[in-house]
Amino acid sequence: MYFKHIVYIVSLFLFYSCFTGVEHTGRITAKDVAKVKADIETEEELFFDTVIPEEFVKWKPGKKFFVVDNNIRLIFSPSASYDVSTLELKGDTLEYMGYKFIRQIDNSEDLVVSFSDGENTYRYNTGKTIEEVQNVRPEYVAPFLIDLDYVARVNSLLSTRQLYIKTSLWYDSNRLLKGGLKYVPVEILSVEPGDVVYPFFVRFRYDNKEAGVFMSSSSASVKNMTFDKLFSFSDIRKFYKAITDENWQRIIHGQIAVGMTKDECLLSLGNPSSIERVPTHGGMYEKWSYDNGVYVIFEDGLLAQFRQ
């Protein structure tokens, strides 16, 4: 369903361009496509709408957070109990201890949040009033920390599910990029804390081997690795019965070949960053360009040339 929406969107722009003068500029960008797609919400896009991190005002002492980067030392105030410049807390779990206020010269009160690892108490001066902090998305209140309650809720929704993965950006058990397949069924094993950019690391099993992908939250500003971009509830293959087995094998490996259709290339390579259409004596020349330097050229709707 997701892919049919994308194909529809691209087709819509190509059709629309014939009547709006786009044929003179010959270029449709990913931003243009995103504007249309914004009105279409799939089941996967709606799945995590109600799963959000707990608001700061609801935090209670003892709430646990995972440290994703040693740069957390940059936000903690100096203390006689430790040398803040040498702190290495990455991978540790900190407990929220509470907050207090520090009055400033202008009589405003900065919110100071405290965390503990059981040995030391670390204080983070947010530089904001409590009203300002309440207007910040919960995941951004304290940098370099991931709310473990949030991770647990996502884990409860995904673990043991069978899903169809839509990305080949797989990571090994050490979280090193290893590459993988697209549109194959995987069994979700667990959801763990991720990194600074992506709060979740989703572990799964495919063909008796384990791998994982990083995933961003639905409310985060980084949208390229949200649940709907990574997984599908349905077997994508059944929506494309006209595709030959040979071409489907190319698609799941992220490969293309001369003679493939636009749908097949879209499935294999994903959405292009721009589409250029140029009328020729023999018909229509169409070039899709990608940010990684890959491009494909279609003539009469079929792949004629490419660089991958």
Side-chain angles (χ1 to χ4, degrees):
M1 290 182 290
Y2 174 87
F3 297 100
K4 285 190 173 182
H5 287 150
I6 295 297
V7 173
Y8 165 76
I9 291 164
V10 173
S11 301
L12 176 63
F13 268 101
L14 297 181
F15 175 81
Y16 185 71
S17 69
C18 295
F19 302 96
T20 61
V22 173
E23 67 272 20
H24 298 304
T25 62
R27 187 169 293 276
I28 302 168
T29 67
K31 186 175 181 181
D32 295 325
V33 174
K35 287 179 181 177
V36 176
K37 186 182 179 302
D39 295 328
I40 303 172
E41 289 189 304
T42 65
E43 183 182 359
E44 290 81 3
E45 286 176 304
L46 296 171
F47 186 58
F48 280 113
D49 271 5
T50 59
V51 184
I52 56 176
E54 190 175 42
E55 297 176 9
F56 171 73
V57 292
K58 295 181 180 179
W59 291 7
K60 293 194 170 43
K63 183 178 179 64
K64 292 180 170 58
F65 293 84
F66 183 82
V67 183
V68 296
D69 197 296
N70 282 326
N71 280 326
I72 196 170
R73 66 169 73 97
L74 301 177
I75 72 170
F76 288 148
S77 302
S79 170
S81 302
Y82 53 81
D83 181 356
V84 71
S85 67
T86 63
L87 285 178
E88 293 192 1
L89 298 174
K90 181 179 179 180
D92 289 355
T93 298
L94 301 184
E95 288 190 4
Y96 170 66
M97 303 299 289
Y99 65 86
K100 66 177 183 179
F101 299 103
I102 295 180
R103 189 172 297 278
Q104 302 300 320
I105 296 176
D106 62 1
N107 215 33
S108 64
E109 292 184 321
D110 284 354
L111 183 74
V112 178
V113 186
S114 296
F115 299 92
S116 174
D117 60 3
E119 181 179 350
N120 295 307
T121 297
Y122 308 100
R123 292 180 174 82
Y124 166 46
N125 186 343
T126 64
K128 297 180 175 65
T129 65
I130 191 166
E131 291 79 13
E132 290 172 330
V133 169
Q134 287 172 338
N135 290 324
V136 174
R137 288 211 295 263
E139 59 265 47
Y140 296 147
V141 169
F144 311 114
L145 292 176
I146 295 177
D147 181 347
L148 287 177
D149 290 332
Y150 188 27
V151 176
R153 287 199 294 274
V154 174
N155 180 66
S156 68
L157 284 173
L158 292 185
S159 61
T160 74
R161 278 181 177 265
Q162 178 177 286
L163 301 171
Y164 291 84
I165 194 159
K166 293 157 60 175
T167 178
S168 58
L169 297 176
W170 297 13
Y171 293 78
D172 63 19
S173 58
N174 295 315
R175 302 192 177 188
L176 299 175
L177 188 62
K178 60 178 286 188
L181 307 177
K182 295 170 28 171
Y183 316 130
V184 294
V186 297
E187 177 193 357
I188 306 301
L189 300 176
S190 64
V191 179
E192 304 169 359
D195 60 19
V196 175
V197 179
Y198 305 109
F200 310 113
F201 186 74
V202 184
R203 292 191 182 276
F204 58 84
R205 180 184 293 115
Y206 170 72
D207 195 25
N208 293 321
K209 297 177 182 177
E210 293 187 14
V213 291
F214 286 97
M215 184 172 77
S216 57
S217 67
S218 56
S219 62
S221 56
V222 180
K223 299 293 186 183
N224 64 325
M225 298 294 271
T226 51
F227 176 76
D228 60 288
K229 301 290 195 309
L230 297 175
F231 298 104
S232 170
F233 293 122
S234 305
D235 181 0
I236 290 93
R237 177 72 169 109
K238 69 182 181 181
F239 297 116
Y240 297 93
K241 295 179 180 178
I243 297 178
T244 65
D245 290 341
E246 182 181 12
N247 275 348
W248 190 255
Q249 284 301 308
R250 290 191 176 105
I251 288 168
I252 67 175
H253 286 87
Q255 301 170 353
I256 54 177
V258 169
M260 290 177 71
T261 66
K262 294 180 184 179
D263 279 3
E264 291 168 340
C265 291
L266 191 65
L267 286 165
S268 184
L269 302 178
N271 300 322
S273 56
S274 66
I275 299 173
E276 184 178 2
R277 304 178 72 228
V278 180
T280 66
H281 294 296
M284 185 66 69
Y285 163 105
E286 185 169 310
K287 180 179 179 180
W288 293 5
S289 299
Y290 292 81
D291 290 335
N292 59 1
V294 171
Y295 67 79
V296 294
I297 296 174
F298 297 96
E299 293 179 5
D300 298 326
L302 297 178
L303 182 59
Q305 303 175 48
F306 64 91
R307 181 177 72 188
Q308 189 176 20

